[in-house]
Amino acid sequence: MISEFKHPDLQVCVLAAGRGKRMQSNKPKVLHKVLGRAMIDYVLHTVESLRPGGIAVVTGHASEMVQAHVGQPQNLEWVIQDKQLGTGHAVKQCEQVISDARDVLIVCGDTPLLQSETLAELVAEHRKRDAIVTVLTAEVDDPSGYGRIMRDSNGRVTEIVEEKDASDAQCLTREVSSGIYCVRHDVLFDLLHKLGNRNAQGEYYLPDIVPLALNDGQSVETVRMVDASEMVGVNNREQLSLVEDMMQANIIHDWQRRGVTIEKPETVRIEATVNIGLDTIIQAGCYLIGSTRIGDECKVGPYAVLVDAWLDDRVEVFAFSHIKDANVAMDAKIGPFARLRPGAQLDEEVQVGNFVEIKNSVVGRGSKVNHLSYIGDTEMGADCNIGAGTITCNYDGANKHKTIIGERVFIGSDTKLIAPVEVGSDATVGAGSIITKKVESGGLTLSERADQRHMPSWQRPRKKKH
Ligand code: UD1
Ligand code: CA
């Protein structure tokens, strides 16, 4: 598999200098995200798994943004293309940084579905056939936007014609260029120096190295992709969502194969970085984002949003709950309509019910906060029962204060705990209390209540009947 790949005599060139005019965006195209990850990240990950001798990335438009995003991996060289004069011109800028390689593999930064196995196959075929230039092609139903592969009567490739330069007859060709090439290093830059820009876009086209090589009597080969969907390039936002849907379908099939039930899969979003355990059920409309981890035999949804959330085994998250940057231990039940915010840590068998918000708090094993409460900056022990409408008043406008609750505490409904405050174990707090001082362990604590009066002669106003 991937770990077996090793290509020390291969240099990779990634083209990522284009502005991506068709994206209509302020940020460079390759930084647009597909399922939460920038396109360039996928492409770099794919080429890195070939373990090549080095990787040159050509940037130009907003190059500082791309570099800041990627950082500085060890075997990566940045190459700046000041003016975006075409894909051939972009590769030419790498002449100084690419040395000492048998072949150069050229890929585009806007094809996030590309798999390393496909690239390895291209390199292997290129070497087996001892070719000078090998083009990765694909047969597609809708070739629009791609360069068309032209062949002579013997089926040999003759040239690649960009759509904007193609005649109506050429446009009908359904074999297209993926934009990915493997080229012998010792001829690549000679060919690039010969490129002209007399075409519809006035650009130096990389595909023109094909007729140039043939003119020099050098062998040009093509390798047809098995799965054409891998090469879909993102040039506009429509293709961005198309690629995202395709990647999402792959991820979902993968989890299904690994023992996860996904209901209404077309409504679910699961990012590539998420992990899900065996026999877990993901219901309709769920969003599983970022570093979210879900254990075995959990049930999530419908319409739950989990962002960087960690759920242990057998956790149930009911409809419309939102969990971000929070930990939930085994057998806990959350929601419906619950919100766990950053730093919420729920121990085993905790129950958090509807319209409850928990932030930066530990809730001890088996404790229940079932209705309409806010728990913030709190440490709560095991087996507590927090009544409906309980609020930890943790914020004085400038500072956050802590509430400490012991074990087996019972807080009556509509209690306000004015932090900093402490409630001892086994305490019971009467409903409607406003707690400002330490509550001693055991017994009943309640704040003064107004007297209850009865007015027997009082009459409720009545609506006049017409
Ligand atoms: C390109 C190919 C086309 C192929 C298609 C596959 C050319 C002329 N056309 O078309 O044959 O079928 O990809 O997806 O090569 N870039 C630079 N510098 C530039 C221009 C582009 O770095 O001056 C980069 C872009 O950022 C992009 C890649 O090269 O990542 C491809 O450019 P793009 O404009 O997307 O080319 P396509 O029209 O898709
Ligand atoms: Ca493209």
Side-chain angles (χ1 to χ4, degrees):
M1 288 289 289
I2 286 174
S3 55
E4 289 166 21
F5 293 152
K6 211 171 177 188
H7 298 87
D9 52 354
L10 180 75
Q11 292 273 333
V12 178
C13 172
V14 178
L15 303 186
R19 177 153 74 94
K21 258 180 269 171
R22 292 162 279 183
M23 293 296 283
Q24 300 286 351
S25 173
N26 288 327
K27 66 178 175 193
K29 173 163 77 173
V30 293
L31 291 189
H32 280 267
K33 288 183 176 177
V34 176
L35 281 181
R37 219 171 145 207
M39 287 197 271
I40 186 84
D41 295 340
Y42 290 102
V43 174
L44 288 178
H45 178 79
T46 299
V47 298
E48 267 158 15
S49 39
L50 297 174
R51 299 175 58 200
I55 301 170
V57 183
V58 186
T59 57
H61 178 74
S63 53
E64 60 302 328
M65 277 171 86
V66 181
Q67 292 184 16
H69 173 84
V70 171
Q72 188 53 69
Q74 208 191 359
N75 63 343
L76 189 152
E77 292 252 24
W78 294 103
V79 175
I80 303 292
Q81 182 193 24
D82 284 325
K83 284 196 180 126
Q84 282 75 66
L85 300 179
T87 48
H89 180 262
V91 179
K92 204 165 79 178
Q93 309 312 303
C94 300
E95 190 164 8
Q96 301 310 317
V97 306
I98 294 180
S99 57
D100 225 20
R102 183 191 190 276
D103 301 295
V104 180
L105 176 68
I106 303 161
V107 302
C108 298
D110 64 353
T111 53
L113 296 170
L114 195 65
Q115 297 297 307
S116 48
E117 286 80 1
T118 306
L119 294 178
E121 168 79 14
L122 170 69
V123 175
E125 277 299 312
H126 169 80
R127 290 179 176 181
K128 201 168 96 191
R129 301 186 206 170
D130 202 20
I132 297 295
V133 177
T134 306
V135 189
L136 187 64
T137 75
E139 185 89 32
V140 293
D141 293 334
D142 175 13
S144 39
Y146 294 101
R148 309 297 204 276
I149 303 290
M150 296 297 134
R151 293 185 182 273
D152 64 16
S153 49
N154 298 319
R156 305 290 307 170
V157 60
T158 55
E159 61 175 328
I160 300 171
V161 182
E162 291 305 300
E163 185 166 85
K164 286 183 177 143
D165 301 283
S167 66
D168 290 350
Q170 287 174 320
C171 272
L172 295 176
T173 309
R174 284 173 45 229
E175 190 188 7
V176 300
S177 163
S178 66
I180 297 160
Y181 299 77
C182 192
V183 188
R184 281 289 294 258
H185 176 234
D186 51 7
V187 296
L188 173 64
F189 293 99
D190 292 340
L191 292 171
L192 292 172
H193 282 289
K194 292 183 197 162
L195 284 178
N197 64 350
R198 290 180 55 180
N199 52 52
Q201 306 188 73
E203 289 184 356
Y204 297 90
Y205 288 165
L206 178 61
D208 287 350
I209 61 171
V210 168
L212 286 173
L214 290 169
N215 262 343
D216 291 352
Q218 289 157 340
S219 67
V220 178
E221 296 283 341
T222 58
V223 170
R224 182 98 42 110
M225 287 176 108
V226 187
D227 178 6
S229 64
E230 263 184 48
M231 60 131 226
V232 175
V234 175
N235 296 323
N236 55 44
R237 305 231 186 195
E238 208 179 323
Q239 287 165 331
L240 186 70
S241 67
L242 181 80
V243 160
E244 193 165 73
D245 284 349
M246 286 162 53
M247 192 180 287
Q248 187 63 94
N250 291 341
I251 289 173
I252 284 176
H253 290 156
D254 206 39
W255 285 119
Q256 288 170 330
R257 274 193 296 273
R258 287 152 78 173
V260 176
T261 294
I262 299 172
E263 299 176 1
K264 300 264 175 242
E266 67 286 357
T267 66
V268 164
R269 181 184 179 93
I270 303 176
E271 290 188 351
T273 40
V274 167
N275 226 305
I276 312 175
L278 208 67
D279 285 324
T280 282
I281 301 171
I282 306 297
Q283 297 184 292
C286 286
Y287 267 46
L288 309 181
I289 308 294
S291 60
T292 292
R293 296 267 178 289
I294 301 177
D296 293 349
E297 293 173 51
C298 294
K299 194 170 177 187
V300 179
Y303 302 97
V305 177
L306 273 56
V307 184
D308 303 330
W310 285 52
L311 310 187
D312 210 331
D313 297 342
R314 296 183 304 279
V315 169
E316 287 192 65
V317 177
F318 299 109
F320 300 103
S321 294
H322 192 282
I323 305 181
K324 182 169 196 253
D325 204 0
N327 278 350
V328 181
M330 275 182 232
D331 299 299
K333 293 186 178 7
I334 314 296
F337 298 100
R339 182 171 184 206
L340 303 184
R341 291 176 49 205
Q345 266 191 64
L346 313 192
D347 285 352
E348 292 170 28
E349 294 170 47
V350 161
Q351 292 182 26
V352 170
N354 43 282
F355 308 107
V356 170
E357 174 179 339
I358 299 186
K359 184 217 76 174
N360 190 34
S361 295
V362 177
V363 178
R365 184 186 177 125
S367 287
K368 296 176 182 153
V369 191
N370 271 334
H371 332 268
L372 302 150
S373 289
Y374 172 67
I375 304 295
D377 303 304
T378 296
E379 273 172 40
M380 189 191 303
D383 298 317
C384 294
N385 192 322
I386 308 298
T390 298
I391 310 283
T392 55
C393 306
N394 62 327
Y395 187 47
D396 59 16
N399 309 295
K400 302 277 168 65
H401 300 285
K402 285 201 84 156
T403 300
I404 314 271
I405 300 174
E407 300 191 341
R408 297 171 302 280
V409 167
F410 184 102
I411 309 271
S413 298
D414 196 26
T415 293
K416 281 137 197 95
L417 297 158
I418 315 288
V421 72
E422 204 175 314
V423 182
S425 288
D426 299 298
T428 298
V429 175
S433 291
I434 297 178
I435 299 298
T436 55
K437 295 194 286 277
K438 181 173 176 179
V439 173
E440 295 301 334
S441 296
L444 172 68
T445 302
L446 70 173
S447 60
E448 225 42 72
R449 291 174 173 177
D451 272 348
Q452 185 166 323
R453 284 192 290 157
H454 182 55
M455 293 175 271
S457 57
W458 184 84
Q459 287 242 315
R460 205 182 314 148
R462 278 167 217 263
K463 275 188 188 161
K464 284 195 185 98
K465 287 215 173 88
H466 295 293

